[in-house]
Every structure is written in structure tokens, then in C-alpha cells.
Amino acid sequence: MDQDSHCTAERDLLEAVSRITTSSTTSPSDEEENQPEAEISCQVRKENPEKDDTQDSSATLSPNSSMTTKELQDYWRNEKRQCKQIKLLFEIPSTRIVENHFSKYVMYKIIILQTGSFDSNKSVIERRYSDFEKLHRNLLEEFSEEMEDVTFPKKSLTGNFTEEIINERKLAFKDYLRLLYSMKYIRRSKKFIDFLTRPELQEAYGCLRGGQYTKALEILLEVIGLQERLTRGNPVSVVPTLCAIVVCHKDLENPASAFEYGEKALSRLCVHTSHRYYIPLLETMITLAYELGKDFLSLQEKLEEWKTKKDPIRVFTLKELAVREYVR
């Protein structure tokens, strides 16, 4: 291919890229508007698309003017990959029947996957029919209008343990969870988040109170990832779980890991210094920093600054706060 033909090919590709960029700035459909704002990894400009298109086009043309056709294709492919929507998908691949002296029920294994290019971690939980039923009742109380057209699989008087009924419910519950998650106010509600995380958190805190720190830590590390995905718009809500992880690592004599998770928790409280966990966490971080030979003076300054602004009150230790969580 001669030089003129090569330049023409590059120019055609750039024009195609510009057209695709322009089409991506059109107003989102109703379905796209239902996706959570924090789940879009690249924001689409809406206020002045013509002006933005001009700016984007010039910005794209300048650095790419010396690129080959293949480099331009790779560049655009990477741009598209970074703009993927991030959301959660629910799968129910299997079930198991639990039978004891007093009851018999089916446990549904739920796998929660995150789409997009950020990570491929998955969360695995189990729930029974009565758990789904309780969730449905709770949501109806708060979101009667949104739940108006949401159907729930009815319980049969007989045949609940047949393979046919179980398979039907697997599909029904998968569609049910996906439908609930598609509705912004429901997926952000405490009731929906509790359904997906509370049983595991209750078990973890029960282990923590019983001194079973290894078991508690194992569960907490499993649930924190799901919690963070579900509460992306409210990062402070995961602070108790992060602090419980700090307590477990500290009692298991893993100060470096405790400090790492403590930093994560503290970063979420930087503008929430009145939060009940702020001072206990700060005191724990000072102790850990001193033990690890890290800078503890800046943390000490924050603590002293807080004390000068607040009236002296009784403050629990981080561990005392943690053991009080999820007490029935």
C-alpha cells in the first residue's frame, strides 16, 4: 500500500471513530437511565454534545495522528473496553435439600458476578425459600408501587421437593433477583442489601464474639467484596465490616494486615469524623503504626484535634464496638 492510500485508510478509520463517539453521546434510553450512576465506568457527556464531540475529536486526532491503522484499532478497542457498564449478575446453578428432625427445606446456591473489566471476583451465598419470601414481604411494605408487577413463585402444598418444582424455582428466583437489581431504589435499599449479606455477617460477628477470629475473618473477607459492590454509592456503610477485619487481624497478631484494612476504613471516614467508629479506629491505628514503625504522629495529631473540638464522652474500643454489631 502506497503512502497516500495508507493515509486515506487512517483518515477513514478516524472518521469512523468520530462517528461512533458522536453516537455514544446521544441521550440514554430509559433502560440505561435505570442503571446506577456509580456503575458506569466512563461518563457520557449530555449537556452540550456538539461542543463535546468537537473537543473529543480534536483530542483524539492529535495524539493519534502518527498511529498506524492497527494501533488506532487497538486504541479504540481499549477505549470501548474501559467504557463497559458494571453491574451484578445473579446465577443459581444448584440446590441442596436440608433435612433435620424438625424441618426439611431447599437451599438455593446464589452466585453473584460483577460484569465489566474491573475484576472477576464472585460471591457465593445460600438462601432458602422462606428467606426470599421474607424479602418479598419486606419490599412490598416499602416499595409497593415498584413491586406492583413483580411476581413471586408461590409455595405449593405438595411437590416442593420434586426436581421439576426445584428447577422451576431456580429460574424464577434468578429472574426475581435480576429484576429487583434492575430497579435503582430497591437495589440500594437496606432490605435488599441485608438479604444478600446479613446472614453471613451475623455468623461472622458471632464467631468474633466467641473468639473464633480465623473463622470470622474468613467470612468477613468473603462478604466485604459483595458489600462494597452493593453499596458503591455509600462507602461509609462498609466501615463496621472493615473495622471487624482489623480487630480479627490484630487479635491474630497480623498487625500489617490490620493496618492495611484500617487505612481503608479511615479513608472512608475522612469527612465523617463524628462517626462512632472514627475515634476507636484512630486509636487502634496509632497503636498499630507505632508497632510497625510507621508514622503515628499525624494520626495522633488528628486524635488531639478531635478532642479539642468535642466534649469528652465515653468512647468504646474498636473491639468493643465490633462485638456489639448484629447482636439480636
Side-chain angles (χ1 to χ4, degrees), residues 152-170:
F152 186 81
K154 295 181 179 180
K155 199 166 190 176
S156 304
L157 294 177
T158 59
N160 288 301
F161 301 101
T162 64
E163 185 177 353
E164 181 181 1
I165 293 295
I166 290 174
N167 287 333
E168 285 180 2
R169 286 185 180 166
K170 276 169 53 179

Side-chain angles (χ1 to χ4, degrees), residues 13-23 53 57 60-61 76:
L13 181 59
L14 285 170
E15 290 175 356
V17 169
S18 180
R19 286 195 298 273
I20 296 173
T21 304
T22 302
S23 65
D53 287 344
S57 179
T60 304
L61 285 171
W76 182 242

Side-chain angles (χ1 to χ4, degrees), residues 46-182:
K46 300 176 185 176
E47 296 179 358
N48 195 344
E50 293 182 2
K51 181 178 179 181
D52 288 344
D53 287 344
T54 304
Q55 292 174 345
D56 288 347
S57 179
S58 62
T60 304
L61 285 171
S62 178
N64 293 341
S65 58
S66 61
M67 285 184 176
T68 65
T69 302
K70 183 179 184 305
E71 287 173 336
L72 283 168
Q73 290 172 336
D74 291 340
Y75 170 81
W76 182 242
R77 190 177 297 112
N78 288 333
E79 287 295 306
K80 287 172 64 179
R81 188 178 298 118
Q82 292 174 6
C83 293
K84 284 183 179 178
Q85 284 187 345
I86 301 170
K87 60 181 181 179
L88 298 183
L89 298 177
F90 299 87
E91 299 292 340
I92 304 182
S94 62
T95 61
R96 63 186 179 93
I97 297 176
V98 178
E99 189 170 6
N100 53 42
H101 296 295
F102 305 102
S103 62
K104 180 180 180 181
Y105 53 89
V106 179
M107 293 293 288
Y108 296 85
K109 181 179 181 180
I110 306 169
I111 297 180
I112 306 163
L113 302 166
Q114 177 175 298
T115 65
S117 57
F118 286 81
D119 64 48
S120 57
N121 294 333
K122 64 181 180 181
S123 300
V124 181
I125 60 176
E126 283 189 318
R127 298 292 182 268
R128 54 188 290 186
Y129 182 95
S130 59
D131 296 325
F132 282 98
E133 195 174 36
K134 181 180 179 181
L135 169 67
H136 192 70
R137 287 198 308 269
N138 289 339
L139 291 177
L140 282 173
E141 292 176 0
E142 187 174 351
F143 304 101
S144 57
E145 186 175 342
E146 291 86 345
M147 297 287 291
E148 187 176 0
D149 297 323
V150 178
T151 58
F152 186 81
K154 295 181 179 180
K155 199 166 190 176
S156 304
L157 294 177
T158 59
N160 288 301
F161 301 101
T162 64
E163 185 177 353
E164 181 181 1
I165 293 295
I166 290 174
N167 287 333
E168 285 180 2
R169 286 185 180 166
K170 276 169 53 179
L171 296 174
F173 284 141
K174 181 178 73 171
D175 292 339
Y176 177 74
L177 289 174
R178 288 181 174 181
L179 181 57
L180 293 181
Y181 184 76
S182 72

Side-chain angles (χ1 to χ4, degrees), residues 266-292:
L266 205 55
S267 68
R268 288 161 169 79
L269 295 179
C270 58
V271 294
H272 300 279
T273 57
S274 60
H275 194 282
R276 70 187 190 281
Y277 270 90
Y278 181 69
I279 293 304
L281 176 60
L282 206 52
E283 291 175 337
T284 300
M285 291 295 285
I286 291 170
T287 302
L288 290 169
Y290 182 81
E291 182 179 347
L292 294 168

Side-chain angles (χ1 to χ4, degrees), residues 231-259:
T231 60
R232 205 174 275 115
N234 182 21
V236 176
S237 63
V238 301
V239 165
T241 306
L242 289 171
C243 288
I245 293 174
V246 172
V247 169
C248 289
H249 274 306
K250 189 171 183 296
D251 279 33
L252 290 170
E253 299 182 355
N254 300 324
S257 296
F259 191 84

Side-chain angles (χ1 to χ4, degrees), residues 216-242:
L217 182 60
E218 178 185 336
I219 300 171
L220 290 167
L221 291 176
E222 284 286 331
V223 78
I224 186 64
L226 178 57
Q227 250 192 317
E228 289 177 327
R229 294 185 185 98
L230 290 167
T231 60
R232 205 174 275 115
N234 182 21
V236 176
S237 63
V238 301
V239 165
T241 306
L242 289 171

Side-chain angles (χ1 to χ4, degrees), residues 299-310:
L299 296 170
Q300 187 72 46
E301 288 175 2
K302 290 181 180 179
L303 180 61
E304 295 301 326
E305 180 184 357
W306 184 91
K307 287 181 177 179
T308 59
K309 293 180 180 179
K310 304 287 184 179

